Structure formats: structure tokens, C-alpha cells
Amino acid sequence: MDPAPDKTTLEVLLDQKAIARRVRELGAQISADYRGRPVRLVGVLKGAWVFLADLVRCLDLDVTVDFLSFTSYGDGVESSGSVKITKDLDQPIAGLDVLIVEDILDTGRTFEYLLGVLEAHNPRSIRVVTLLDKPSRRLRPVQADYVGFTIPDVFVVGYGLDCGGKYRNLPDVRILRTATDEPPAAR
Ligand code: PRP
């Protein structure tokens, strides 16, 4: 990838080895917890796809995979009514153990909305695994069942996470800073 534009820096927060090690640990823990039960992974597009691709190969379970996609809300929009599904599940989840796969849990608005949508489909259980957790930014009373890394309130890109659609292909998680040190947008 080309270097970041002038005055933008990309400091490594979590390198490839640390991510790979933690994903293996999460895979082992999830495999033990769900032992003997089939699991439906539900990836939240787009950010979670890289994490899901690595995690699924660390699961020693009977696994199936589906995806959901939402529109983003604008800055300052507090109502969960502004979150809209743009790609629904392909297969029903009634009676299944569902594991939502997220790249980052930030304000919790996406996850809160997602829980409401999925619970209406009567799964046997719902849990969430997130690679990154920013509890300091939480606006909704939700938490993940499995967390890869708890991180401070910094704007991160890479390993699936973007800024304006860029940087998803970086193999590590990096802190993006601009010249003014202001984050490009809320996440
Ligand atoms: C990110 C991430 C979560 C959501 C978390 O998605 O993938 O779905 O934000 O934020 P919240 O806890 O504040 O709701 P984003 O809107 O960046 O879309 P993308 O995954 O397509 O990049």
C-alpha cells in the first residue's frame, strides 16, 4: 500500500503476530465453550470479514457462516432507528446457537440494534465475539462475550477496519492520526 497521505500517521497498535496469537486463543476458548454444538457465525460487514476469516479457521466445531450489513449512522445521530439493514441473513437462525462476529465494539449502538433484530428470529442463544473493544466510548449497556483486545479511545484502521473505505487490507491494527490529531470520524 502507498504511504499514508502527508501529515497522516499510521502507528502500529497490534501487530500481526499478536493478532494471530489472540485469534488462536479465542478460537480455542470458543471451541471449548461450544463443544458438541453446531454454531452459526454471523459476520457484520464490512469490517468483520478479515477477523472472521481468521477466526473460523481456528474453530474446531461444526460451523456455518452468514453475514449481515447495516447502513452507518451519521455523527451525533443517537437513535437506533437510524440503523438500517442493507443485507439480511441468507438462512434462518431459529433454534441455533448464534455467534456474532464484530471487528469493533464502540458505542454499542450497532450491537444493541443487531441483538434486537436477531432475537426476534428466535435463536437458541446469541453471543458476540469482537476483536476490539473500546469500553470508554460505550453509550449503550452492551458488552461482548469474547474480546480480543481492549483498546483506548484511538481511531484504528487495518485488519478489516477502514477510514473512508481505505486501510482494510493492512495486516495489523494501526492508530490513524491526522495533522490536527483529530479523529477522521466517530466509529
Ligand atoms: C463498525 C464496526 C461495528 C460498528 C461498531 O462498523 O464494524 O459494526 O462500527 O460501532 P458502534 O459500537 O459505535 O455501533 P462501520 O460503521 O465502521 O462499518 P464497516 O464495518 O462497514 O466499516
Side-chain angles (χ1 to χ4, degrees):
M1 173 182 288
D2 291 339
D6 288 347
K7 300 176 182 174
T8 297
T9 62
L10 290 167
E11 177 194 347
V12 174
L13 177 66
L14 303 167
D15 66 26
Q16 293 179 67
K17 283 187 177 175
I19 295 170
R21 185 167 56 243
R22 186 69 187 121
V23 171
R24 282 195 299 273
E25 290 172 358
L26 287 170
Q29 186 183 351
I30 292 166
S31 297
D33 290 352
Y34 285 86
R35 179 74 54 215
R37 289 150 55 193
V39 179
R40 171 70 47 84
L41 298 188
V42 173
V44 183
L45 296 172
K46 302 185 176 82
W49 116 84
V50 175
F51 175 44
L52 189 149
D54 283 345
L55 179 67
V56 74
R57 285 175 285 178
C58 295
L59 296 178
D60 182 17
L61 294 168
D62 179 2
V63 172
T64 51
V65 179
D66 206 342
F67 291 94
L68 273 173
S69 186
F70 299 91
T71 54
S72 304
Y73 36 73
D75 289 357
V77 177
E78 293 292 326
S79 169
S80 62
S82 65
V83 183
K84 295 274 190 296
I85 292 178
T86 53
K87 188 232 167 282
D88 208 342
L89 296 174
D90 290 331
Q91 299 292 328
I93 56 170
L96 300 183
D97 289 309
V98 171
L99 181 61
I100 299 168
V101 182
E102 268 285 25
D103 51 332
I104 187 164
L105 184 53
D106 190 342
T107 66
R109 289 181 292 201
T110 303
F111 178 47
E112 183 183 59
Y113 176 76
L114 181 56
L115 267 186
V117 169
L118 295 185
E119 279 172 353
H121 288 81
N122 300 312
R124 182 172 184 265
S125 69
I126 301 180
R127 288 183 182 173
V128 64
V129 54
T130 186
L131 178 73
L132 306 175
D133 189 11
K134 270 192 200 176
S136 62
R137 287 200 16 109
R138 199 78 87 248
L139 296 176
R140 295 290 189 269
V142 292
Q143 60 185 25
D145 299 280
Y146 304 96
V147 173
F149 301 92
T150 299
I151 63 170
D153 185 11
V154 289
F155 193 92
V156 285
V157 296
Y159 198 71
L161 291 102
D162 75 312
C163 178
K166 288 179 62 180
Y167 306 120
R168 293 193 198 275
N169 59 316
L170 289 173
D172 36 33
V173 172
R174 300 191 187 196
I175 302 170
L176 187 151
R177 291 192 181 94
T178 62
T180 59
D181 207 28
E182 290 178 6
R187 189 196 299 283

